[in-house]
Every structure is written in structure tokens, then in C-alpha cells.
Amino acid sequence: MQHLITPLIPCGAAYFPVPANMPPRKYAFLLLPGFTLLAFSAAVEPFRIANQLSQKPLYHWQVLSEDGAAVRSSSCIPVEADFALQPMDRDITLFVCSGVLAPDAASPQTLAQIARHHRHGGRIGGICTGAVALARAGLLDQRRFTLHWENQPGFIEHFPDLLPSARKFEIDQRILTCSGGVAAADLALHLIAQDHGRLFAAAVTDMCLH
């Protein structure tokens, strides 16, 4: 992806100084039809709040869809995409956001792009039922992963050799998954703590009222 991922740095009353000792983290959120709006928002907002608190572009992100068009969430609210899914730099973490239509949500072309990004060294994440797309792309063999508890029995029927965990989120090398809902915020806050320390992540958590 050659497009610039523009940071959002809104102004706020609270401030937490953060040393500029690392380049900004870059994320792309691929919205699949029927994605869960709560989980998507919970994943993005901690990064936005981190930028606001620090008044630095710590995190950049972009919203993608399979064809560049808006995508309807599971609550029928459409969300605009910035770009269509395409090959991207390996320093971008690609999160696949899925929901109730998980088994057939991603096209074969999309699965190929997901697998390509991982094969070229990129990190891949699954939010809510995003792990279904990751499994279809062949990325979950011998990996720890999770997805929403409601969908785990059906997942095991489709993928009997893959066993999801009961944890809120899992990180196994370059595979990151969370079970959806506010667990997406837990994953984002964990990543922020890894990048900038627990005290800063705690400040972001307070801003989230989480």
C-alpha cells in the first residue's frame, strides 16, 4: 500500500508526555461484510486516544474494504473505507474485522491478499470472528488464537484441527486475535503498553473509562 496512513491527533485537556523514541505504528483495518461495529470501534479508539494524550502521531491507521466501497456492519450501519485491499508494506499490521457472516465474508482474492501479507513478513490480526478468515487463509496451524465464544462451536466444526482458546485475546508471533466486543480494546491497550509502557497504557485506559 503506497497511500499515506494519516494520523489523527485531536486536542484534549488531558496530556501524558511520551518520548519520541520509536517510529509510529501503522495499522490497517479490513472491514468484511457484517463486521461487528463495537469490536472495530473498541480496537481503533485506544490508538486515537493515545495520539490525543501524547499529542504525537504514535499510531496511524486506515480503513480498508475488499473493493474500496463502504461496508455495512452487523448493525446495518455502513462505514466508509479509505482504500480497497491491496499489497501493503510489511510494517503495517492488518486487522481483519468480521462478524456474524464470518464463514463466507472474505472472498478467495481477499484470503490470498491476507496470506500474502503474512508471507511477506507482515503481522495479521483477527477481530471478533476475523480468525475465520485467518484460518481459511491457512495462517492458524500450530498457532494460539481466539474468536467470539458464540462462534467457537461452529468454527470447530469447520476446522476440526484448530482449537481456539477461551482467552480475550492471543498474540502468537505475528498472529494477533481477539474475541470481539470490548476485548478488542484489551488487545489495543496491551499493544500500547508494549510500545510505550504500562503507565501510559493505564492513562489511555482511564480515558476509555475501561
Side-chain angles (χ1 to χ4, degrees):
M1 182 189 302
Q2 302 303 318
H3 306 287
L4 176 66
I5 299 184
T6 306
L8 177 67
I9 311 177
C11 293
Y15 174 66
F16 194 110
V18 174
N21 55 6
M22 62 182 295
R25 296 287 193 189
K26 299 177 183 179
Y27 291 93
F29 293 89
L30 172 62
L31 306 184
L32 297 181
F35 74 96
T36 306
L37 192 60
L38 172 60
F40 166 60
S41 300
V44 175
E45 281 295 286
F47 298 132
R48 189 271 303 173
I49 291 171
N51 286 357
Q52 177 179 318
L53 274 177
S54 66
Q55 285 298 287
K56 289 185 174 72
L58 303 179
Y59 296 96
H60 297 191
W61 60 89
Q62 219 49 298
V63 179
L64 309 177
S65 67
E66 292 183 301
D67 58 3
V71 184
R72 283 194 176 273
S73 66
S74 56
S75 53
C76 293
I77 297 174
V79 174
E80 292 289 336
D82 297 305
F83 305 105
L85 178 64
Q86 56 189 285
M88 62 187 73
D89 295 337
R90 66 180 181 180
D91 65 341
I92 298 174
T93 298
L94 174 62
F95 273 112
V96 181
C97 306
S98 190
V100 294
L101 304 178
D104 303 312
S107 69
Q109 294 82 1
T110 293
L111 297 177
Q113 288 277 22
I114 293 169
R116 178 190 183 280
H117 187 59
H118 186 264
R119 187 169 62 252
H120 286 209
R123 291 197 303 178
I124 299 289
I127 293 177
C128 193
T129 58
V132 174
L134 273 57
R136 292 179 62 203
L139 301 182
L140 296 185
D141 292 344
Q142 306 300 316
R143 297 295 185 196
R144 298 189 317 274
F145 69 95
T146 190
L147 70 157
H148 196 284
W149 59 264
E150 182 184 24
N151 301 92
Q152 291 200 11
F155 178 93
I156 294 170
E157 287 184 10
H158 280 89
F159 305 99
D161 296 329
L162 301 177
L163 183 62
S165 85
R167 297 185 63 188
K168 289 183 178 181
F169 66 86
E170 292 281 4
I171 299 177
D172 190 339
Q173 299 183 39
R174 290 184 290 114
I175 298 294
L176 306 82
T177 52
C178 77
S179 55
V182 295
D186 292 319
L187 174 56
L189 291 164
H190 178 81
L191 296 174
I192 291 169
Q194 285 186 326
D195 293 339
H196 301 289
R198 291 185 177 276
L199 288 178
F200 181 64
V204 176
T205 302
D206 287 343
M207 287 287 287
C208 292
L209 300 179
H210 182 37

